[in-house]
Amino acid sequence: MTNKRKFDPATRRAGETLASSTYASLRRDIIDGAIPAGSQLRVRHLGERYGVGFSPIREALNRLARDGLVRQVDLRGFTVTPLNRAELEEITRTRCWLNELALRKSIERGDAAWEEGIVIAFHRLSRISVSAPVNGSEGDSNAISRFNPENDTAHRAFHASLISACGSSWLLGFCEQMFDQSDRYRRLAKPSVRQGRQHDEHRLIMEATIARDVDKAVDLMNRHLLRTAELGYMALGEAMSPAQAVAAAMSSLEAVPAER
Amino acid sequence: MTNKRKFDPATRRAGETLASSTYASLRRDIIDGAIPAGSQLRVRHLGERYGVGFSPIREALNRLARDGLVRQVDLRGFTVTPLNRAELEEITRTRCWLNELALRKSIERGDAAWEEGIVIAFHRLSRISVSAPVNGSEGDSNAISRFNPENDTAHRAFHASLISACGSSWLLGFCEQMFDQSDRYRRLAKPSVRQGRQHDEHRLIMEATIARDVDKAVDLMNRHLLRTAELGYMALGEAMSPAQAVAAAMSSLEAVPAER
DNA sequence: CGACGAAAAATGTTCGAACATTCCGTATTC
DNA sequence: GAATACGGAATGTTCGAACATTTTTCGTCG
C-alpha cells in the first residue's frame, strides 16, 4: 500500500527511468505545441511541472537535443527549437532528398515481408484516421491540435515502413528525425485542414511503391511532403502574428496551461 | 593566486562548462581508441579519471550518444558503440549515399566563395599532412594511432567544405556524423598505412569538384570513401582477434593506461 | 557437481543544496 | 539623457549523499 517510494511518481512503467518518462512527456508537449516554439526551458520550472528533480529533466533535455527538438547553449540553458519559414524550407528540402533516396533503395531491395509491412501500416493508419477525430472522451474539443498518440504512431509507422528496406538504419533514423521536425509544422494546422487529402495521398504512394514504380512513387512522395509543408507555411502565416511571436519568445513554461 | 575555485579544475576555458570540456576529452579518447570499443563507461570511474562529478560526466555521455559514439540503455548505463564489420558496411554505404547527394547539390549551388573555401581547406590539409607525422615533441612514438587534433580538424574541414554549399545544414550534420563513425574505423589502421594515397585522392576530388565535373567528382568521392573503409576492414581483421574482442568487451576504464 | 536463491557489492539514477554565471533593474556619472 | 557600473534576483551548473536496480558472490539444496 505504501506506494510512496521515493523514485516512483505515479507515471512510470517498470524498468523505465524517470528520465525516460519525462523525456516522453516533454517530447509530446513540444511536438504538440503545448510548450511554444522558441520558449526557454528552465530546469527548475520543468522539474516542478513534471514532479521530478533536476537530473531527470536535464537528461530528458539532452535527449531532446539529440532529436533536434531543443537547442542548448553553454551557461544559457535549453530552448525549444524555433519555428520559422527558413527552417521549414530547409527541413522540407532535406526531407524530400532523404526520403527519395531511401525510397529508391527500399524499392530496390524490398522483399515480400517489406510489402506486407507497408500494407499493414497503411491499414492501421486507415482505421485510426477515421476513428480518431471523433474522440470526445475528454471533451477537450477546444484544443485545436491536440496530440493523438495512436494516430501519430500510425502515421510515423507508415512513413517508416515505406523506406524500411533501404538497408541503412542510419538513414532510417535521419528520415525519422526529419519526420519529427516536419511534424511540428504540420501540427500547427487545424486537424480539419490537415485531415483532408492526406489519406488518399498515402494510399497512392503505397500503391506505386508496391507496384515498384520507382519514379511515380518518388514523385508522389515528394508532392506529399511538399503539400504537408504547405500546411506549415499557411499556419505560420496565420498563427505567427508579430504579437504571438513575441509572446512565444518571451513566455516561459508558467504561461502554459498545466496539463498532466 | 587562489586559483582553487571549486568549478575550475585547470583544464577549462572561459565560458566553457565542465560538461563541455569533459565531452571533448571523452570524445577524443573514444575516437582515438584510448577507450576501447564496446567497453562500459562507468560514471564513477570516469568522474575519477577526468576529475569531475557525476553530472558533467552524465551530460558528456548524453552528448556522445547524440553523436552515436556511445549507446545508452535504461538502468544499464553507457557503452562505447562497438566496432564490427556489419556496422562498418552500413556506415560506409550510408556515408557514400549521403555524400553523393550532398556533393551533387553542392556543385549545383556552389558559388565562388564555396570554391575558395575548398581550396583553403585543401591547402591547410596539405600543410599538416606532411608536418604532422614528424611530431616528436612528446616522444610517444610507441602510440600507434595517436590522436592528432590539427590533422583531424583539417581533414574534417576539407570533407565538409566540399559539400558545404548543398543547401541543408541538416544534411551537413548527418554527413559529419557519418564522418565521425567512419573515422573510428580509419584510426584502427596504422598512420603509415593510412597516410598513403589519401592525400592524392583528396586533390583529385577537389579538382573534379571545382571543375564542376559532377559524375567524376562523385565517382572519385565514392572510391575514396570505399578505400577508407578498406583500411577499417583490414584493421578489423588484424586487430580484432577473438582474444582482443573479448578483452575489449570486458575491460572497463581502469584497464586503460591513464593519460591526462 | 550443478541449479537455484539469497545476501552483498557494484553500478545507475535521483535528489536538493551550494556554487557560478547571466540577466535585469537601478543608480551613478559625464 | 545616454552610457556605464553596480548589485540583487534568476537561472544554469556541479557536487556528493542517498536510493534503486543490476550484477556478482557465495552458500545451500537437490
Side-chain angles (χ1 to χ4, degrees):
Chain A
M1 260 312 146
T2 70
N3 202 3
K4 193 57 177 8
R5 290 189 304 177
K6 191 170 184 182
F7 297 163
D8 197 348
T11 62
R12 185 175 168 204
R13 288 171 294 189
E16 193 182 33
T17 61
L18 274 184
S20 290
S21 58
T22 306
Y23 163 72
S25 301
L26 257 174
R27 182 187 165 87
R28 225 192 68 149
D29 288 345
I30 290 175
I31 292 186
D32 192 31
I35 301 177
S39 59
Q40 284 277 327
L41 293 164
R42 287 178 238 276
V43 176
R44 280 172 179 77
H45 298 158
L46 291 175
E48 192 180 340
R49 181 161 152 71
Y50 294 101
V52 296
F54 300 161
S55 306
I57 293 289
R58 197 151 247 279
E59 181 100 10
L61 289 173
N62 266 295
R63 297 191 198 172
L64 288 167
R66 202 184 298 182
D67 301 336
L69 291 175
V70 312
R71 296 203 196 306
Q72 179 179 26
V73 178
D74 265 12
L75 295 179
R76 220 158 295 182
F78 295 85
T79 309
V80 180
T81 303
L83 301 177
N84 58 60
R85 286 160 187 275
E87 272 296 322
L88 175 53
E89 193 183 343
E90 197 171 311
I91 287 166
T92 305
R93 184 162 52 225
T94 311
R95 196 181 175 206
C96 285
W97 291 346
L98 293 191
N99 268 280
E100 169 166 352
L101 173 60
L103 189 53
R104 286 186 186 278
K105 301 295 179 183
S106 199
I107 292 177
E108 259 178 39
R109 300 161 167 251
D111 57 4
W114 164 73
E115 285 183 15
E116 290 166 12
I118 296 173
V119 173
I120 290 178
F122 178 77
H123 174 68
R124 288 180 183 154
L125 182 59
S126 310
R127 292 255 287 232
I128 290 167
S129 288
V130 291
S131 67
V134 246
N135 172 22
S137 62
E138 296 291 328
D140 53 3
S141 59
N142 59 337
I144 293 300
S145 67
R146 184 61 62 212
F147 191 93
N148 183 332
E150 275 193 340
N151 193 353
D152 177 68
T153 302
H155 189 201
R156 178 192 313 273
F158 174 71
H159 274 274
S161 74
L162 291 168
I163 59 177
S164 64
C166 73
S168 166
S169 54
W170 290 93
L171 182 53
L172 278 175
F174 296 150
C175 283
E176 187 173 353
Q177 208 171 325
M178 299 321 292
F179 179 95
D180 287 339
Q181 293 296 325
S182 188
D183 214 34
R184 292 184 68 205
Y185 289 91
R186 190 177 66 91
R187 281 173 191 286
L188 289 176
K190 297 190 182 108
S192 58
V193 175
R194 68 178 194 242
Q195 209 70 24
R197 288 189 301 273
Q198 296 241 326
H199 189 59
D200 291 330
E201 292 178 19
H202 286 151
R203 190 174 45 74
L204 292 175
I205 293 173
M206 175 187 67
E207 289 168 357
T209 300
I210 290 182
R212 313 268 171 162
D213 190 340
V214 182
D215 291 330
K216 185 175 179 186
V218 165
D219 185 60
L220 286 169
M221 171 69 82
N222 278 333
R223 288 176 191 277
H224 173 63
L225 300 184
L226 288 174
R227 253 195 285 269
T228 301
E230 276 303 323
L231 296 178
Y233 282 118
M234 294 192 318
L236 276 179
E238 297 169 7
M240 290 292 270
S241 65
Q244 279 179 304
V246 171
M250 290 177 57
S251 79
S252 178
L253 195 58
E254 51 267 35
V256 179
E259 63 158 28
R260 192 39 197 277
Chain B
M1 263 309 152
T2 70
N3 202 3
K4 193 58 176 11
R5 289 189 305 177
K6 192 170 184 181
F7 297 163
D8 198 347
T11 62
R12 186 176 168 202
R13 288 172 293 189
E16 194 183 31
T17 60
L18 274 183
S20 291
S21 57
T22 305
Y23 163 72
S25 301
L26 256 174
R27 182 186 164 88
R28 225 191 67 151
D29 288 344
I30 289 175
I31 292 187
D32 192 30
I35 300 177
S39 60
Q40 284 276 327
L41 294 164
R42 285 179 241 275
V43 175
R44 281 172 178 79
H45 297 157
L46 291 175
E48 191 180 341
R49 182 162 153 71
Y50 294 100
V52 296
F54 301 160
S55 306
I57 292 289
R58 196 153 248 278
E59 181 98 11
L61 289 173
N62 266 297
R63 297 192 198 172
L64 288 167
R66 203 185 296 182
D67 301 335
L69 291 175
V70 312
R71 296 204 196 303
Q72 179 180 25
V73 178
D74 265 11
L75 296 179
R76 220 157 294 181
F78 295 85
T79 309
V80 180
T81 302
L83 301 177
N84 57 61
R85 286 160 187 275
E87 271 295 320
L88 175 54
E89 192 184 344
E90 198 171 312
I91 287 167
T92 305
R93 183 163 51 226
T94 311
R95 195 181 176 206
C96 285
W97 292 346
L98 294 191
N99 267 280
E100 168 166 353
L101 173 61
L103 188 54
R104 285 186 186 279
K105 301 295 179 183
S106 198
I107 292 177
E108 259 179 41
R109 299 160 167 253
D111 57 3
W114 164 72
E115 286 182 14
E116 290 167 13
I118 297 173
V119 173
I120 290 178
F122 178 78
H123 174 67
R124 288 182 183 152
L125 182 58
S126 309
R127 292 256 288 233
I128 291 168
S129 288
V130 290
S131 67
V134 245
N135 172 21
S137 62
E138 296 291 328
D140 54 2
S141 59
N142 60 337
I144 291 299
S145 66
R146 183 61 61 212
F147 191 93
N148 183 332
E150 274 192 342
N151 193 354
D152 177 67
T153 302
H155 188 201
R156 177 190 314 272
F158 174 70
H159 275 274
S161 74
L162 291 168
I163 60 177
S164 65
C166 73
S168 165
S169 52
W170 291 93
L171 183 53
L172 278 175
F174 296 150
C175 283
E176 187 174 352
Q177 207 170 326
M178 299 322 291
F179 179 95
D180 287 339
Q181 293 296 325
S182 188
D183 214 35
R184 293 184 66 205
Y185 289 91
R186 189 177 66 90
R187 280 173 191 284
L188 288 177
K190 297 191 183 107
S192 58
V193 174
R194 71 176 193 242
Q195 209 70 24
R197 287 190 302 273
Q198 296 241 327
H199 188 59
D200 292 329
E201 292 178 19
H202 287 151
R203 189 174 45 75
L204 292 175
I205 293 173
M206 175 187 68
E207 288 169 358
T209 299
I210 290 182
R212 313 268 171 162
D213 189 341
V214 183
D215 291 330
K216 185 176 179 186
V218 165
D219 185 59
L220 287 169
M221 172 68 83
N222 278 333
R223 287 175 191 277
H224 173 63
L225 299 185
L226 288 173
R227 254 195 286 269
T228 300
E230 276 302 324
L231 296 178
Y233 283 118
M234 292 192 320
L236 276 180
E238 297 170 7
M240 289 292 271
S241 65
Q244 279 179 304
V246 171
M250 289 175 58
S251 79
S252 178
L253 195 57
E254 50 266 36
V256 179
E259 62 157 31
R260 189 42 196 273

